[in-house]
Amino acid sequence: MIMAGESRSAREKVSDGIRQGIGVLSAFKDALEETINEARERGDLSTDRAKEVMKDALGKAQDAAEGARERLDFVARREFEALQAAVEDLARRVGALEGESAEDSDDDS
C-alpha cells in the first residue's frame, strides 16, 4: 500500500524527470541547430556530413534517455503486477498461518 507521502514523492520524481527530459530535448535541439548553422556557414552541408551529425545526435539523445530512465527508476507494469500478486499471496499465507496459530493457542487455554 502506498502512503500519501510516498505517492507525493513518486509524483515529484516523475515531475522532475519530465523537466529533465524537456531540458535534454531543448539542449539537443539547440545543439542540432548550432551544428547545422555551422555546417551551412562553412558550406559543409553534404549528405554524408548530415547523416554523421544526425547519427551522433541520436546517440547522445539515447544516452540522455537512458540516464533519465535510470534516475526515474521505472518498473515495467508486468514486473509490478507479478510482484503485487506475490505479495498478496504471501499476505494470504501469513494470514492463514496466523489464524491457525491463534486457534492453536486458544485450544491450549
Side-chain angles (χ1 to χ4, degrees), residues 1 7 18-19 22-24 31 34-35 37 39 44 48 51 55 62 71 78 80-81 98 100 105:
M1 182 169 179
S7 176
I18 290 171
R19 273 194 295 273
I22 290 171
V24 166
E34 183 179 332
T35 303
N37 288 335
D44 185 27
D48 290 338
K51 285 181 183 177
K55 190 175 186 177
Q62 287 175 340
R71 283 190 299 276
R78 279 180 293 213
F80 175 78
E81 289 172 351
E98 286 177 344
E100 289 175 14
S105 63

Side-chain angles (χ1 to χ4, degrees), residues 1-98:
M1 182 169 179
I2 296 176
M3 305 300 285
E6 293 172 357
S7 176
R8 184 172 162 263
S9 176
R11 212 179 352 252
E12 287 175 348
K13 286 181 183 179
V14 169
S15 194
D16 288 346
I18 290 171
R19 273 194 295 273
Q20 289 174 355
I22 290 171
V24 166
L25 290 174
S26 179
F28 178 61
K29 175 187 158 279
D30 292 345
L32 277 176
E33 285 178 350
E34 183 179 332
T35 303
I36 290 169
N37 288 335
E38 287 175 3
R40 191 178 302 149
E41 288 170 7
R42 288 191 315 259
D44 185 27
L45 201 56
S46 68
T47 304
D48 290 338
R49 177 72 180 132
K51 285 181 183 177
E52 181 182 322
V53 167
M54 289 304 293
K55 190 175 186 177
D56 289 345
L58 288 174
K60 289 177 184 175
Q62 287 175 340
D63 290 345
E66 285 295 320
R69 185 178 302 138
E70 288 174 14
R71 283 190 299 276
L72 290 173
D73 199 24
F74 282 120
V75 175
R77 179 170 294 281
R78 279 180 293 213
E79 292 176 18
F80 175 78
E81 289 172 351
L83 182 59
Q84 187 176 26
V87 168
E88 289 170 358
D89 182 53
L90 285 172
R92 278 191 297 274
R93 291 171 59 192
V94 167
L97 288 172
E98 286 177 344

